[in-house]
Amino acid sequence: MFDEIEFDKIKRLPKYVFASINEIKLKMRQNGEDVIDFSMGNPDGPTPNHIIDKLCQAAKKEKNHGYSVSKGIYKLRLSIVNWYKRKYGVNLDPNTEVCVTMGSKEGYVHLVQAITNPGDNAIVCSPAYPIHYYAFILNGANVINIPIKWDDEMLLDYQSYFNDLQKALKSAFPKPKFVVVNFPHNPTTAVVNKDFYEKLVSIAKKERFYIISDIAYAELCFGDFKTPSIFEVDGAKDVAVETYTLSKTYNMAGWRVGFVVGNKKMVEALQKIKSWIDYGMHTPTQIAATIALDGPQDCIVDIRNKYENRMQVLIDSFKGTGFDIKKPKASMFIWAGIPEQYKHLGSLEFCKEILQEAKVAFSPGVGFGENGEGYVRIALIENEKRIRQAARNIKQYLKNKK
Ligand SMILES: Cc1ncc(COP(=O)(O)O)c(C=O)c1O
């Protein structure tokens, strides 16, 4: 019906590459098969009790049942300001430099919607968390990909990144207005230190572009590595915003709490568009989020340890499978090179085969962009016992293939 009426914008979104893996997974589960599922970055533990208790208390108060404030209640914006002060020594204005969002994904998409004109150019790493590209594509902008590389310690190869960035800035027309970075990086787990941001901010000021930095995995870092914030660089607020989420740090993925902070012009654009689109997040959830940020932080140590232990178990138990695995410094993922003899299949076919034959679900690297080909992303959301079981299943599958 109405074939002449086209929805052009939605056509700019391709079929989700992960959808075919999800479909197979669903069918297998419906047939009663046990799938060991490493495919989605969906934290598996419970939200800490003190946060749940606060939600329950706040939910019982009638005054919290009405519409909320679209940019977030003042108390939560203040908790965010205090979190930045404590963690990074950074000062933010709770009114003009902070916006609460319904998860950082919602914040990112609406920010991009608010600040992008059709035909703009944005520079995004490749591979990337898919919405980092597609928010721009949906808004009629174009994306220039910078393929990223890293060393054995999973530190980003700065030289290659900045060479490609400078090339893109010189050659692209119109001149790129936005650069998106995301470290610790999903999917590769690559990290950067503060010196990366120093250089990026100085280039942004010279070449005149805005930076959006997503630090969703900031707290999931191991050993001596501490995730830096771009705002530790003096003057970064002139050119940058940072997005963050409670999803990963406090096992609160379903609660949908995130925030965007920093550059006043960008934050105010986001606050404005949100004031038209939504009435703010459920107030009791926002109140509970203040407790997550202000309350005891030992739960983060437990969550961090859980992922780090799983990482080690996976690395040890996958020895001999042919996967190329380097230990991450941060995140909840492992970015594993596909065994040489199966690379020709491509990551999507390889994942389908592993799923059907070994009953183990990974995310195909190509789903994160063409530079993700040759890899799979393993989200560490299964316990240690099941990680070992997955390794056994894969070894058996590889043996049968010979
Ligand atoms: C890099 C990155 N940013 C943002 C998000 C979205 O998080 P949220 O739950 O806050 O929307 C994710 C989720 O996987 C992510 O990997």
Side-chain angles (χ1 to χ4, degrees), residues 41 102-106 129 132 182 184 186 214 216-217 243-248 253 256-258 333 377:
M102 295 174 188
S104 57
K105 194 177 192 185
E106 178 273 325
Y129 180 49
H132 284 167
N182 160 223
N186 178 12
D214 175 342
Y217 299 95
T243 69
Y244 187 60
T245 173
L246 273 55
S247 296
K248 319 286 176 176
R256 314 307 301 129
V257 189
F333 305 114
R377 193 196 68 179

Side-chain angles (χ1 to χ4, degrees), residues 22 34 65-66 152 177 241 293 329 338:
N22 289 340
D34 176 26
H65 295 173
D152 284 346
K177 278 188 190 167
V241 287
L293 294 171
K329 279 196 158 48
I338 296 174

Side-chain angles (χ1 to χ4, degrees), residues 6 10 115 138 190 217 276 348:
E6 301 278 3
I10 207 70
I115 63 181
L138 256 181
Y217 299 95
W276 281 86
L348 182 57

Side-chain angles (χ1 to χ4, degrees), residues 78-374:
L78 215 51
S79 298
I80 294 164
V81 168
N82 291 334
W83 184 83
Y84 262 98
K85 182 81 199 159
R86 263 196 331 268
K87 191 168 162 57
Y88 291 117
V90 166
N91 293 312
L92 292 166
D93 179 327
N95 293 314
T96 57
E97 294 177 338
V98 178
C99 186
V100 174
T101 58
M102 295 174 188
S104 57
K105 194 177 192 185
E106 178 273 325
Y108 178 82
V109 172
H110 282 139
L111 172 69
V112 170
Q113 186 177 9
I115 63 181
T116 303
N117 298 333
D120 280 352
N121 273 326
I123 296 178
V124 181
C125 299
S126 172
Y129 180 49
I131 198 64
H132 284 167
Y133 319 113
Y134 285 108
F136 286 101
I137 301 291
L138 256 181
N139 286 293
N142 301 307
V143 172
I144 299 160
N145 289 324
I146 294 196
I148 64 164
K149 301 188 181 94
W150 51 88
D151 66 13
D152 284 346
E153 303 285 305
M154 293 313 295
L155 184 72
L156 180 78
D157 179 339
Y158 293 6
Q159 202 185 351
S160 146
Y161 179 86
F162 285 118
N163 276 346
D164 286 343
L165 178 66
Q166 296 284 15
K167 261 191 238 152
L169 290 167
K170 279 210 172 66
S171 59
F173 182 82
K175 200 163 179 197
K177 278 188 190 167
F178 307 105
V179 169
V180 179
V181 288
N182 160 223
F183 299 106
H185 183 243
N186 178 12
T188 68
T189 80
V191 294
V192 296
N193 290 312
K194 184 181 158 190
D195 51 351
F196 171 81
Y197 294 123
E198 278 163 354
K199 182 139 191 204
L200 186 62
V201 167
S202 91
I203 299 174
K205 289 191 173 182
K206 184 158 171 263
E207 300 287 344
R208 304 181 70 76
F209 58 80
Y210 281 115
I211 302 165
I212 305 175
S213 174
D214 175 342
I215 56 162
Y217 299 95
E219 288 283 19
L220 304 185
C221 50
F222 316 118
D224 296 337
F225 180 73
K226 298 275 169 285
T227 306
S229 160
I230 197 167
F231 301 123
E232 290 176 88
V233 177
D234 284 342
K237 271 198 279 181
D238 298 340
V239 292
V241 287
E242 203 157 69
T243 69
Y244 187 60
T245 173
L246 273 55
S247 296
K248 319 286 176 176
T249 312
Y250 304 100
N251 285 342
M252 289 174 69
W255 295 52
R256 314 307 301 129
V257 189
F259 46 87
V260 176
V261 306
N263 180 267
K264 193 166 168 244
K265 187 170 168 187
M266 284 198 278
V267 169
E268 286 184 340
L270 175 61
Q271 289 175 341
K272 183 168 179 184
I273 203 165
K274 280 178 68 65
S275 75
W276 281 86
I277 292 172
D278 69 61
Y279 285 115
M281 189 199 308
H282 181 227
T283 303
T285 303
Q286 296 195 54
I287 293 171
T290 67
I291 295 304
L293 294 171
D294 297 337
Q297 301 294 300
D298 35 338
C299 53
I300 304 180
V301 178
D302 297 341
I303 292 172
R304 235 182 243 150
N305 289 344
K306 176 181 80 176
Y307 289 124
E308 194 179 11
N309 292 339
R310 288 177 179 179
M311 243 164 223
Q312 199 53 55
V313 169
L314 194 136
I315 290 169
D316 292 342
S317 57
F318 272 53
K319 279 193 182 124
T321 55
F323 280 97
D324 175 18
I325 297 178
K326 294 188 175 70
K327 187 168 183 209
K329 279 196 158 48
S331 87
M332 54 187 285
F333 305 114
I334 281 182
W335 183 240
I338 296 174
E340 265 326 305
Q341 66 272 36
Y342 302 105
K343 277 221 166 107
H344 67 278
L345 290 176
S347 57
L348 182 57
E349 277 317 303
F350 178 72
C351 283
K352 283 185 187 169
E353 222 177 286
I354 287 275
L355 176 55
Q356 283 158 331
E357 305 292 330
K359 308 199 188 327
V360 175
F362 296 140
S363 285
V366 71
F368 301 93
E370 64 190 49
N371 289 297
E373 191 48 282

